[in-house]
Every structure is written in C-alpha cells, then in structure tokens.
Amino acid sequence: MNSEHAWSYEIDPILEALFRYIDSLSLPETPYVTGRPPVSKKSLLKCFFLKTYFSIDSLRKLVRILQRFRCFQRACGLSEVPHLSTFSRAAKWFREQGFPVFHAQLLQDLEVRYPQIVLIDSLYDSQAKWGVSTRYHWFKGYKLHLCTTTEGIILSHVLTTANRNDAAVASELLASLGQWDIEFVLGDAAYDSEKVRQTAEQAGILFISPINRRNSKERKDAYGRVLPVFLKTRFGQWLFGLRREIERVFNELKSDGVEQPRWYGFHRYLLHVLCCILMHNFEFLL
C-alpha cells in the first residue's frame, strides 16, 4: 500500500457507494453497558470490504494499514483503529450472523423474487497448494460452489475444501432455494447424479445436467435416454446456453481477486469470499 492507493479510494465510486449502502442497513449493535463503547459493526464491516478491495491478506496487515492511512480511518468511520482482537471477533460475527442479514437485504433490494431458472457450478483454484485438515484430511485448496440467477446474481454459496465432490454439495445449494419458486436448475456433467435429481424433485425443481461421460456406457435409465435428445432441440440448446452466465460470474470474481490471497485458514478465506460475493451482487444496484 502506498499514498497513491490511499488516494485512489477517495475517488473510487464503487467503494463510496458501498459504504453509503452499509450506512443504510439495519445491523444489530452490541449494547453499551460498561467499559469502553463498542466499535460500530458498520465501521468494522467497511474495514473488511476495504481489506477485500485492496487484497490485504491478513487482519494484522489491515490494522497496520489503517494506522498508517488516516483517510481509510475516516472512510470507515473510525476515530481510532481497533485492536486486532476486535477485528477477529467481528469477523466471526460477520461469517455467522452479519453476512446472512446483509445478503438477504441485498437480494431484496435487487428485487430477486421469481428466478425460475438458476445455475450451479463450482470454482476451483488450480494454483492452490496441497494442505491437510483434521476434519477434511488431505485437500488441494478450496472450492467455491455457487447458485446464481441467469442474470448473474449470486443466490447462495457453499465453500468447501477441494476434495468435496460437486454432486455431494449440490443438495446444500438446493436446500437454500426454498424461498423461491424455481422451475429449472442447470448444472454441468459433474452433477449427473440420481440423488441430486431426487433431491431437486422433492423441492418441485427439475434438475438438468449433461450425461457424465464416465457413466455414459452404463446409462440405460429414462434420463440417460431422453436428455441427449432434449439437448439437441432448439429449446434445449437455448436453455443450456444460459449456463454461460455462471462462467462469466466466476471470471468476474477472479478478476475481482477472489483467488489472489493464499489463506492457510478456512475461516480467513471464507471472510474474503463472503465480501467478494457481496461486492459482486452490490454492483447490480449501481
């Protein structure tokens, strides 16, 4: 970070508009009882977006940059820079409580009411390093699973380690769609699973994905016979052509830096991803 980057914020319309939007939100604040007054959650949230926007790869570095550049403090509404532990607690609150409130309000303001067709896919970072987790065992980086509208608005997400199969995560994405009256969900061949289709059918959704080539020789069920014919029809080609939009979403997230930081902790990476998702959706309001 240098003085040129610090000055660029003051003329950046996206951050300025995003911070105004945060000021308009209704976020629960910690009641002041004794001791020092708590730092506003809106100010801490602005700091997290500042961190994401400039690809600052740790909360400790964020604190140092805020201490160095007064313009960032003023932009975030801080009279003084909070301690690192304050940011750590706020990050946990944002992951568990703040993001769902922010995301739901943003979708409401975007008037996402009747997305009849949605898309699901996953983004995997091929440059990520191998890692080990006591819960997930060996894995290579993380994988971001998304469900979007055909316009590119992100409806829901699941962040997993890279060893999780797409079809195994699909049920979590489908479960998050209950508030909308969705008719079709489109996925690629990685979601070719009878279990996925049954889960979607229970929710009144028709799940469509191409036949996985690894299973094509064994497919003698009705779905395996009908789908190849359906995809050759004009409607089938148009319908599946909509999947190009979710590829565009991933490309935009990449250009916005969703893959840039090399986090070693799942929760640290999740904080970055959540901010990227909100910033992506917020641009539809501009």
Side-chain angles (χ1 to χ4, degrees):
M1 301 292 296
N2 52 39
S3 57
E4 181 180 354
H5 286 140
W7 175 250
S8 68
Y9 161 72
E10 297 183 345
I11 59 174
D12 185 272
I14 295 179
L15 273 183
E16 184 180 0
L18 178 59
F19 285 9
R20 286 200 304 267
Y21 182 77
I22 292 174
D23 288 332
S24 70
L25 293 176
S26 177
L27 297 177
E29 297 287 353
T30 304
Y32 173 54
V33 182
T34 59
R36 301 181 65 180
V39 182
S40 168
K41 285 187 171 63
K42 293 182 179 180
S43 294
L44 294 170
L45 190 54
K46 292 176 183 178
C47 292
F48 292 148
F49 282 110
L50 193 74
K51 172 178 173 295
T52 301
Y53 185 84
F54 288 106
S55 298
I56 303 171
D57 57 11
S58 71
L59 291 176
R60 191 178 302 277
K61 190 175 293 186
L62 172 64
V63 171
R64 291 201 300 266
I65 290 173
L66 287 171
Q67 291 171 341
R68 181 177 178 183
F69 297 106
R70 281 295 188 83
C71 63
F72 286 161
Q73 293 183 39
R74 292 193 299 270
C76 296
L78 296 172
S79 57
E80 60 179 355
V81 180
H83 190 268
L84 176 63
S85 61
T86 301
F87 283 106
S88 298
R89 290 193 297 270
K92 181 179 180 181
W93 165 83
F94 177 64
R95 292 191 305 265
E96 297 176 356
Q97 303 176 41
F99 174 82
V101 174
F102 196 139
H103 191 223
Q105 182 62 52
L106 193 52
L107 292 179
Q108 180 178 335
D109 293 339
L110 288 170
E111 298 183 348
V112 180
R113 298 176 181 175
Y114 310 109
Q116 295 179 328
I117 303 173
V118 299
L119 320 169
I120 67 171
D121 207 342
S122 64
L123 172 65
Y124 167 61
D125 185 1
S126 61
Q127 302 296 321
K129 299 179 180 179
W130 284 97
V132 64
S133 166
T134 55
R135 180 177 180 183
Y136 297 107
H137 308 296
W138 284 99
F139 62 92
K140 188 180 181 184
Y142 299 105
K143 186 183 290 187
L144 176 61
H145 308 259
L146 292 183
C147 176
T148 75
T149 66
T150 54
E151 294 79 23
I153 299 173
I154 299 174
L155 298 179
S156 61
H157 78 282
V158 178
L159 183 68
T160 69
T161 50
N163 59 340
R164 291 289 302 278
N165 181 270
D166 288 358
V169 182
S171 58
E172 296 181 53
L173 288 173
L174 292 173
S176 67
L177 304 178
Q179 59 182 303
W180 294 290
D181 186 17
I182 295 172
E183 296 182 10
F184 297 98
V185 174
L186 309 180
D188 61 18
Y191 298 95
D192 180 21
S193 166
E194 182 65 24
K195 183 178 180 180
V196 173
R197 288 191 291 274
Q198 289 178 352
T199 302
E201 185 178 352
Q202 292 172 359
I205 299 172
L206 178 59
F207 190 94
I208 303 177
S209 64
I211 302 299
N212 194 319
R213 293 182 179 181
R214 291 177 296 180
N215 304 329
S216 59
K217 295 182 180 180
E218 305 174 3
R219 299 301 296 270
K220 297 181 180 180
D221 58 329
Y223 185 85
R225 295 193 305 270
V226 171
L227 186 68
V229 178
F230 170 73
L231 292 180
K232 293 179 181 179
T233 65
R234 181 174 298 182
F235 176 70
Q237 292 175 351
W238 170 83
L239 186 65
F240 236 76
L242 298 174
R243 276 193 45 80
R244 289 191 293 268
E245 184 60 32
I246 197 168
E247 300 297 336
R248 186 185 66 81
V249 171
F250 283 131
N251 288 334
E252 290 182 357
L253 289 174
K254 289 178 183 179
S255 64
D256 290 340
V258 73
E259 290 181 320
Q260 289 179 8
R262 292 293 181 258
W263 303 105
Y264 288 98
F266 181 84
H267 289 148
R268 294 183 180 92
Y269 198 92
L270 179 58
L271 174 65
H272 175 74
V273 167
L274 295 180
C275 288
C276 286
I277 289 174
L278 291 176
M279 290 178 70
H280 171 83
N281 280 353
F282 176 75
E283 291 187 19
F284 284 89
L285 281 178
L286 300 179

Coordinates of all heavy atoms in Angstrom, one line a residue, residues 69-102:
F69 N -2.8 5.1 7.3 CA -3.5 6.0 6.4 C -4.8 6.5 7.1 O -5.8 5.7 7.3 CB -3.9 5.2 5.1 CG -2.7 4.8 4.3 CD1 -2.3 3.5 4.3 CD2 -2.0 5.7 3.6 CE1 -1.2 3.1 3.5 CE2 -0.9 5.4 2.9 CZ -0.5 4.0 2.8
R70 N -4.8 7.7 7.5 CA -5.9 8.3 8.1 C -7.2 8.4 7.2 O -8.3 8.4 7.7 CB -5.6 9.7 8.6 CG -4.7 9.8 9.9 CD -5.6 9.2 11.0 NE -4.9 9.4 12.3 CZ -5.0 10.5 13.0 NH1 -5.6 11.5 12.6 NH2 -4.4 10.5 14.2
C71 N -6.9 8.5 5.9 CA -8.1 8.6 5.0 C -8.9 7.4 5.1 O -10.2 7.4 4.9 CB -7.6 8.9 3.6 SG -6.6 7.6 2.9
F72 N -8.3 6.2 5.3 CA -9.1 5.0 5.4 C -9.8 4.9 6.7 O -11.0 4.4 6.8 CB -8.1 3.8 5.3 CG -7.6 3.5 4.0 CD1 -6.5 2.7 3.8 CD2 -8.2 4.0 2.8 CE1 -6.0 2.4 2.5 CE2 -7.8 3.7 1.6 CZ -6.6 2.9 1.4
Q73 N -9.2 5.4 7.8 CA -10.0 5.5 9.1 C -11.2 6.4 8.9 O -12.3 6.0 9.4 CB -9.0 6.1 10.1 CG -7.9 5.3 10.5 CD -7.1 5.9 11.6 OE1 -7.6 6.5 12.6 NE2 -5.7 5.8 11.6
R74 N -11.1 7.5 8.3 CA -12.2 8.4 8.1 C -13.3 7.8 7.2 O -14.5 7.9 7.5 CB -11.8 9.8 7.5 CG -10.9 10.6 8.4 CD -10.8 12.0 7.9 NE -10.1 12.0 6.5 CZ -8.8 12.1 6.3 NH1 -8.0 12.2 7.4 NH2 -8.3 12.2 5.1
A75 N -12.8 7.1 6.2 CA -13.8 6.5 5.3 C -14.6 5.4 6.0 O -15.8 5.2 5.7 CB -13.1 5.9 4.1
C76 N -14.0 4.7 6.9 CA -14.6 3.6 7.6 C -15.4 4.1 8.9 O -16.0 3.3 9.6 CB -13.6 2.5 8.0 SG -12.9 1.7 6.6
G77 N -15.3 5.4 9.2 CA -16.0 5.9 10.3 C -15.3 5.6 11.6 O -16.0 5.5 12.7
L78 N -14.0 5.5 11.6 CA -13.2 5.2 12.9 C -12.6 6.4 13.4 O -11.9 7.2 12.7 CB -12.2 4.1 12.6 CG -12.7 2.7 12.1 CD1 -11.5 1.9 11.7 CD2 -13.5 2.0 13.2
S79 N -12.7 6.6 14.7 CA -12.0 7.7 15.4 C -10.6 7.2 15.8 O -9.7 8.0 15.9 CB -12.7 8.1 16.6 OG -13.0 7.1 17.5
E80 N -10.4 5.9 16.0 CA -9.2 5.3 16.3 C -9.2 3.8 15.8 O -10.3 3.3 15.6 CB -8.8 5.3 17.7 CG -9.8 4.6 18.6 CD -9.4 4.7 20.1 OE1 -8.3 5.2 20.4 OE2 -10.1 4.2 21.0
V81 N -8.1 3.2 15.5 CA -8.0 1.9 15.0 C -8.2 0.9 16.1 O -7.5 0.9 17.1 CB -6.7 1.6 14.3 CG1 -6.6 0.2 13.7 CG2 -6.4 2.7 13.2
P82 N -9.2 0.0 16.0 CA -9.5 -1.0 17.0 C -8.3 -2.0 17.1 O -7.5 -2.2 16.2 CB -10.7 -1.7 16.5 CG -11.4 -0.8 15.5 CD -10.2 -0.1 14.9
H83 N -8.3 -2.8 18.2 CA -7.3 -3.8 18.4 C -7.5 -5.0 17.4 O -8.7 -5.2 17.0 CB -7.3 -4.3 19.8 CG -6.1 -5.2 20.2 ND1 -6.2 -6.5 20.1 CD2 -4.9 -4.9 20.6 CE1 -5.0 -7.0 20.5 NE2 -4.2 -6.1 20.8
L84 N -6.5 -5.8 17.1 CA -6.6 -6.9 16.3 C -7.7 -7.9 16.8 O -8.5 -8.5 16.0 CB -5.3 -7.6 16.2 CG -5.3 -8.9 15.4 CD1 -5.6 -8.7 13.9 CD2 -3.9 -9.6 15.5
S85 N -7.8 -8.1 18.1 CA -8.8 -9.0 18.7 C -10.2 -8.5 18.4 O -11.1 -9.4 18.2 CB -8.6 -9.1 20.2 OG -8.8 -7.9 20.8
T86 N -10.4 -7.2 18.3 CA -11.8 -6.7 17.9 C -12.1 -7.1 16.5 O -13.3 -7.5 16.2 CB -11.8 -5.2 18.0 OG1 -11.4 -4.8 19.4 CG2 -13.2 -4.6 17.7
F87 N -11.2 -7.0 15.6 CA -11.4 -7.4 14.2 C -11.7 -8.9 14.1 O -12.5 -9.4 13.3 CB -10.3 -7.0 13.3 CG -10.2 -5.6 12.9 CD1 -9.3 -4.7 13.5 CD2 -11.1 -5.1 12.0 CE1 -9.3 -3.4 13.1 CE2 -11.1 -3.8 11.6 CZ -10.2 -2.9 12.2
S88 N -11.0 -9.7 14.9 CA -11.2 -11.2 14.9 C -12.6 -11.5 15.4 O -13.2 -12.4 14.8 CB -10.1 -11.8 15.8 OG -8.8 -11.6 15.3
R89 N -13.0 -10.9 16.4 CA -14.4 -11.1 16.9 C -15.5 -10.7 15.9 O -16.5 -11.4 15.7 CB -14.6 -10.4 18.3 CG -13.9 -11.0 19.4 CD -14.4 -10.5 20.8 NE -14.2 -9.1 20.9 CZ -13.1 -8.5 21.4 NH1 -12.1 -9.2 21.8 NH2 -13.0 -7.2 21.4
A90 N -15.2 -9.5 15.3 CA -16.1 -9.0 14.3 C -16.2 -9.9 13.1 O -17.2 -10.1 12.5 CB -15.7 -7.6 13.9
A91 N -15.0 -10.5 12.7 CA -15.0 -11.4 11.6 C -15.9 -12.7 11.8 O -16.6 -13.1 10.9 CB -13.6 -11.8 11.3
K92 N -15.8 -13.2 13.0 CA -16.6 -14.3 13.4 C -18.1 -14.0 13.4 O -18.9 -14.7 12.9 CB -16.3 -14.8 14.8 CG -17.1 -16.0 15.2 CD -16.6 -16.5 16.6 CE -17.5 -17.7 17.0 NZ -17.1 -18.2 18.4
W93 N -18.4 -12.8 13.9 CA -19.8 -12.3 13.8 C -20.3 -12.2 12.4 O -21.4 -12.6 12.1 CB -20.0 -11.0 14.6 CG -21.3 -10.3 14.2 CD1 -22.5 -10.5 14.9 CD2 -21.5 -9.3 13.2 NE1 -23.4 -9.7 14.3 CE2 -22.9 -9.0 13.3 CE3 -20.7 -8.7 12.3 CZ2 -23.4 -8.0 12.4 CZ3 -21.2 -7.8 11.4 CH2 -22.6 -7.4 11.5
F94 N -19.5 -11.6 11.5 CA -19.9 -11.4 10.1 C -20.1 -12.7 9.4 O -21.1 -12.9 8.7 CB -18.8 -10.6 9.4 CG -19.1 -10.4 8.0 CD1 -20.2 -9.7 7.6 CD2 -18.3 -11.0 7.0 CE1 -20.4 -9.5 6.2 CE2 -18.5 -10.8 5.7 CZ -19.6 -10.0 5.3
R95 N -19.2 -13.7 9.6 CA -19.4 -15.0 9.0 C -20.6 -15.7 9.4 O -21.3 -16.3 8.6 CB -18.2 -15.9 9.3 CG -16.8 -15.5 8.7 CD -15.8 -16.6 8.8 NE -15.6 -17.0 10.2 CZ -14.7 -16.5 11.0 NH1 -13.8 -15.6 10.6 NH2 -14.6 -17.0 12.3
E96 N -21.0 -15.6 10.7 CA -22.1 -16.4 11.3 C -23.4 -15.7 11.2 O -24.5 -16.3 11.1 CB -21.7 -16.8 12.7 CG -20.5 -17.7 12.8 CD -20.1 -18.1 14.2 OE1 -20.8 -17.5 15.2 OE2 -19.2 -18.8 14.4
Q97 N -23.4 -14.3 11.4 CA -24.7 -13.6 11.5 C -24.8 -12.4 10.6 O -25.9 -12.2 10.0 CB -24.8 -13.1 13.0 CG -24.7 -14.1 14.0 CD -24.8 -13.5 15.4 OE1 -25.5 -12.6 15.7 NE2 -23.9 -14.1 16.3
G98 N -23.7 -11.7 10.4 CA -23.8 -10.5 9.6 C -24.0 -10.7 8.1 O -24.8 -10.1 7.5
F99 N -23.3 -11.7 7.6 CA -23.5 -12.0 6.1 C -24.9 -12.4 5.7 O -25.4 -11.8 4.7 CB -22.5 -13.0 5.7 CG -22.7 -13.5 4.2 CD1 -22.1 -12.7 3.2 CD2 -23.4 -14.6 3.9 CE1 -22.3 -13.1 1.9 CE2 -23.6 -15.0 2.6 CZ -23.1 -14.2 1.6
P100 N -25.5 -13.3 6.5 CA -26.9 -13.6 6.1 C -27.9 -12.4 6.0 O -28.7 -12.3 5.1 CB -27.3 -14.7 7.1 CG -26.1 -15.2 7.6 CD -25.1 -14.1 7.6
V101 N -27.7 -11.5 7.0 CA -28.6 -10.3 7.1 C -28.3 -9.4 5.9 O -29.2 -8.9 5.2 CB -28.4 -9.6 8.4 CG1 -29.1 -8.3 8.4 CG2 -28.8 -10.4 9.6
F102 N -27.0 -9.2 5.7 CA -26.6 -8.3 4.6 C -27.0 -8.9 3.2 O -27.6 -8.2 2.4 CB -25.1 -8.1 4.6 CG -24.5 -7.0 3.8 CD1 -23.5 -6.2 4.3 CD2 -25.0 -6.7 2.5 CE1 -23.0 -5.2 3.5 CE2 -24.5 -5.7 1.8 CZ -23.5 -4.9 2.3

